[in-house]
Amino acid sequence: MTNDYRFEFRPYQRRFLRSLTTNHGKWDIREGIILRLTDETLRVGWGEIAPISWFGSETLEQVLDFCRQLPGEITDETIFSIPDELPACQFGFESAWEWGSWKWGNEFFSMPNAQCPMPNAQSFSALLPFGEAALNQWETLWQKGYRTFKWKIGVDAIADELKIFESLTRILPASTKLRLDANGGLSYEEANLWLRTCDNLKANAELPLEIEFIEQPLPVEQFQQMLELSTSYETAIALDESVATLKQLAACHQQGWREIFVIKPGIVGSPSRLRKFCHQHQIDTVFSSVLETAIGRLAALQIAAELSRNNRAIGFGIDHFFEQEETWFQTLWNDL
Ligand SMILES: O=C(O)CCC(=O)c1ccccc1C(=O)O
Ligand SMILES: [Mg+2]
């Protein structure tokens, strides 16, 4: 692209096919903005800004304020000087700037025909519904080819969740990997109980499935306790909320975190700086969605394909896709 772009944006709101329940409650509607850059040769780049403020990114209001104060014509300088307080904006603008430079043919997608990359379900992790519903839903996802599942914990009473978990471990087939995501919702005692339970399962050689990790057991403020837990148990811990942005990621790494880092490209910040960090430090990563729409998803998957290096499934299961995926975009940009 040349150095000057026409900048346009449209806010959107979309209802999930199924709501996402975490220990922060129920989430039904995704709000964000789609942006378009058009250069002097009329080449177009699309970007998505899909913040999750409860997770540590900027708010939607901050995104809207930022976009509204920009002029209709912007430059590379504008794109690469977005402040770190707006990480989802950094992602949206930079990925629109990169749009069109990507190649589709990697471990996540095979190319049966040049038009349509086909996701390779085995490389993706699928979200199970929370609570007991997981027990009847995993099979449909298994049939679609998923072999890695994520189940939310820290939503209900721990005794109930442990019971469902025990059933899950007995019914899931061999060669399944299971991730438990607490979204920072456990107490220190509960985190110990979950880790001990998982370690005991691991010691039981008859158990066919693998507990891959527990994600963000404690709140962000309790980094030292998580560091201690990571050395006390066999079961791995993945940081997620603690490393929501690039700045937090660097700080946790600097303070000695050597287990797994979940990276959500949609809110982590500048893709170019993320690439630099990952190339510099060979960290163990899991790439994950922010439940963005197809625009942000393409950009996030591109980054995941470039930077994944440990065979870990990526958290971009298709389980939360939106309704009317084709017509939505045309309505949003009615000049297409
Ligand atoms: O990471 C995944 O496997 C799916 C995505 C996911 O769980 C998620 C999606 C939106 C917001 C927060 C989270 C999370 O990992 O906690
Ligand atoms: Mg998580």
Side-chain angles (χ1 to χ4, degrees):
M1 280 189 142
T2 53
N3 193 18
D4 291 290
Y5 318 95
R6 186 153 65 96
F7 162 61
E8 300 158 281
F9 70 99
R10 303 269 197 282
Y12 73 81
Q13 292 193 337
R14 308 196 66 196
R15 179 173 292 279
F16 295 125
L17 285 174
R18 228 197 278 151
S19 55
L20 177 74
T21 304
T22 69
N23 92 301
H24 296 271
K26 203 156 153 265
W27 184 16
D28 290 309
I29 295 172
R30 199 342 139 208
E31 292 183 280
I33 78 141
I34 302 294
L35 67 94
R36 178 165 70 180
L37 303 179
T38 310
D39 78 2
E40 287 158 350
T41 67
L42 298 183
R43 269 189 303 188
V44 165
W46 298 96
E48 176 170 353
I49 308 177
I52 324 179
S53 54
W54 58 264
F55 206 89
S57 84
E58 68 271 49
T59 63
L60 184 67
E61 287 64 40
Q62 286 175 287
V63 171
L64 289 168
D65 286 348
F66 179 74
C67 291
R68 285 184 185 132
Q69 58 80 42
L70 284 178
E73 301 282 332
I74 63 169
T75 63
D76 288 352
E77 161 94 56
T78 323
I79 294 164
F80 288 93
S81 62
I82 298 173
D84 289 345
E85 289 68 44
L86 302 173
C89 290
Q90 290 179 339
F91 167 80
F93 277 86
E94 229 183 277
S95 54
W97 181 85
E98 289 179 356
W99 188 266
S101 68
W102 305 322
K103 291 187 190 71
W104 293 101
N106 53 53
E107 69 211 274
F108 304 132
F109 291 92
S110 53
M111 293 287 266
N113 66 62
Q115 296 302 308
C116 178
M118 276 297 292
N120 171 11
Q122 289 217 36
S123 319
F124 288 68
S125 160
L127 267 173
L128 294 171
F130 96 100
E132 264 181 316
L135 296 173
N136 355 325
Q137 286 290 324
W138 69 269
E139 203 163 359
T140 318
L141 295 164
W142 175 275
Q143 276 157 7
K144 288 183 187 164
Y146 292 105
R147 294 297 177 265
T148 304
F149 300 111
K150 182 197 265 198
W151 188 54
K152 294 288 184 183
I153 60 171
V155 182
D156 276 337
I158 189 165
D160 297 337
E161 290 186 344
L162 283 167
K163 258 185 233 144
I164 300 167
F165 174 65
E166 208 217 322
S167 309
L168 257 183
T169 59
R170 273 190 275 106
I171 58 173
L172 287 175
S175 80
T176 308
K177 289 184 184 174
L178 184 60
R179 301 170 171 180
L180 302 175
D181 189 359
N183 285 106
L186 303 180
S187 68
Y188 184 70
E189 290 70 33
E190 289 171 337
N192 275 281
L193 182 51
W194 273 109
L195 286 159
R196 198 157 58 239
T197 306
C198 293
D199 273 12
N200 288 343
L201 279 170
K202 203 181 196 132
N204 175 356
E206 282 155 49
L207 192 82
L209 90 166
E210 180 190 329
I211 308 299
E212 195 181 3
F213 54 76
I214 296 187
E215 193 167 311
Q216 195 74 32
L218 302 178
V220 173
E221 307 75 59
Q222 295 173 34
F223 175 77
Q224 288 305 328
Q225 285 93 322
M226 285 189 279
L227 198 55
E228 181 206 310
L229 291 175
S230 76
T231 58
S232 310
Y233 293 94
E234 279 283 305
T235 304
I237 297 176
L239 294 183
D240 192 9
E241 281 86 339
S242 290
V243 295
T245 64
L246 203 47
K247 201 168 151 190
Q248 291 172 287
L249 179 67
C252 288
H253 183 262
Q254 207 264 326
Q255 290 173 74
W257 189 261
R258 291 298 177 270
E259 287 199 315
I260 303 158
F261 297 82
V262 176
I263 297 180
K264 290 177 159 53
I267 54 169
V268 79
S270 153
S272 55
R273 277 158 49 204
L274 176 68
R275 287 187 184 99
K276 215 169 133 208
F277 184 88
C278 289
H279 288 144
Q280 222 161 49
H281 308 281
Q282 304 288 298
I283 56 174
D284 189 353
T285 50
V286 171
F287 286 84
S288 157
S289 131
V290 291
L291 308 188
E292 58 279 84
T293 76
I295 303 280
R297 182 184 168 89
L298 273 178
L301 285 172
Q302 171 63 30
I303 293 169
E306 279 175 49
L307 300 179
S308 287
R309 28 161 242 120
N310 41 29
N311 246 333
R312 293 197 187 274
I314 55 175
F316 284 85
I318 57 161
D319 202 35
H320 285 267
F321 264 154
F322 303 92
E323 287 163 342
Q324 297 143 13
E325 194 72 299
E326 317 81 40
T327 54
W328 161 74
F329 193 63
Q330 304 238 326
T331 316
L332 189 72
W333 289 85
N334 40 25
D335 62 340
L336 288 178

